[in-house]
Amino acid sequence: MKQFFMTLCAVFFFLGSQAQSSIKSTDVLLKEARQQAAKENKKVFVIFHASWCHWCHKLDTAMADASCKPLFEKSYVTCHLTVLENGDKKSLENPGAMELLKAHHGDQQGIPFWLIFDKDGKLVADSQIRPEGASLDTQGKNIGYPGSKDEIAEFQKVLRKTSKLSEAEITLIGERFAALKGS
């Protein structure tokens, strides 16, 4: 009986360690995304999110909408990083994600928070609204989910700067985000 109990404990320990190791680190996810972006001549769109975050789910829903998904896929490799989980969901967090969020002034901004990197890993845009001409090192106000008219306009400016999208495609994305705000 003791042998059975020890074997059972070993199995549960092994399964628990395997489950935790299936969460990839931020470094691994970003490396994979950068490699794909370099191969496809795209940028990396990093989204910080959590399972409990309503606006994070809205952002994912809008980006995955049939009218928007191919447009985002045209210019970006999307990489989700899980942060700010609670209790038993803490194990869902990507190791290193919180440090990256803090490094880009996002830890006090709320989520979703997003960054856009070029294929070489250089930050080219993020979800913060700043005064015209301010550098990306200047802390701004997080757009999160672009739902208001001003936030959508700012998001569209970012898309113009970082994507291969036409003006009609950028307009379509703005309309879709505005329509989903109230749902």
Side-chain angles (χ1 to χ4, degrees):
M1 184 67 166
K2 186 177 181 181
Q3 181 70 21
F4 173 75
F5 180 72
M6 295 293 282
T7 303
L8 192 59
C9 287
V11 167
F12 281 121
F13 177 77
F14 175 77
L15 291 175
S17 67
Q18 290 300 311
Q20 286 185 351
S21 67
S22 67
I23 302 294
K24 291 184 179 181
S25 74
T26 297
D27 289 341
V28 167
L29 289 170
L30 289 178
K31 181 181 178 186
E32 291 172 355
R34 275 196 299 270
Q35 287 173 341
Q36 182 181 347
K39 194 182 317 177
E40 298 174 7
N41 195 27
K42 297 179 181 179
K43 300 208 172 31
V44 178
F45 198 115
V46 177
I47 302 170
F48 295 90
H49 71 121
S51 63
W52 52 264
C53 174
H54 171 75
W55 290 107
C56 299
H57 294 293
K58 279 202 176 291
L59 180 62
D60 284 340
T61 298
M63 290 178 73
D65 182 84
S67 63
C68 292
K69 185 176 181 175
L71 303 179
F72 282 102
E73 288 177 345
K74 181 193 281 191
S75 296
Y76 305 103
V77 173
T78 302
C79 176
H80 286 85
L81 297 176
T82 304
V83 294
L84 302 172
E85 290 290 354
N86 299 305
D88 62 341
K89 301 242 181 184
K90 198 82 172 143
S91 64
L92 299 175
E93 292 184 359
N94 298 100
M98 197 62 202
E99 290 76 12
L100 182 64
L101 185 65
K102 286 179 183 177
H104 294 284
H105 311 293
D107 56 317
Q108 301 297 314
Q109 297 275 345
I111 53 177
F113 188 87
W114 41 269
L115 305 167
I116 300 175
F117 294 98
D118 68 14
K119 63 186 179 204
D120 299 317
K122 179 183 177 229
L123 182 68
V124 294
D126 64 19
S127 61
Q128 297 181 78
I129 299 174
R130 298 177 181 82
E132 196 64 40
S135 77
L136 289 173
D137 291 332
T138 305
Q139 187 167 345
K141 180 181 177 253
N142 185 28
I143 294 171
Y145 175 88
S148 73
K149 186 177 179 181
D150 291 341
E151 291 168 343
I152 290 170
E154 191 67 28
F155 186 58
Q156 289 173 313
K157 273 187 359 187
V158 170
L159 296 177
R160 281 183 198 97
K161 175 182 170 187
T162 64
S163 75
K164 306 169 192 171
L165 299 172
S166 70
E167 194 57 37
E169 292 168 327
I170 291 170
T171 298
L172 180 106
I173 289 171
E175 290 169 354
R176 186 64 183 128
F177 273 72
L180 268 175
K181 183 187 186 254
S183 61

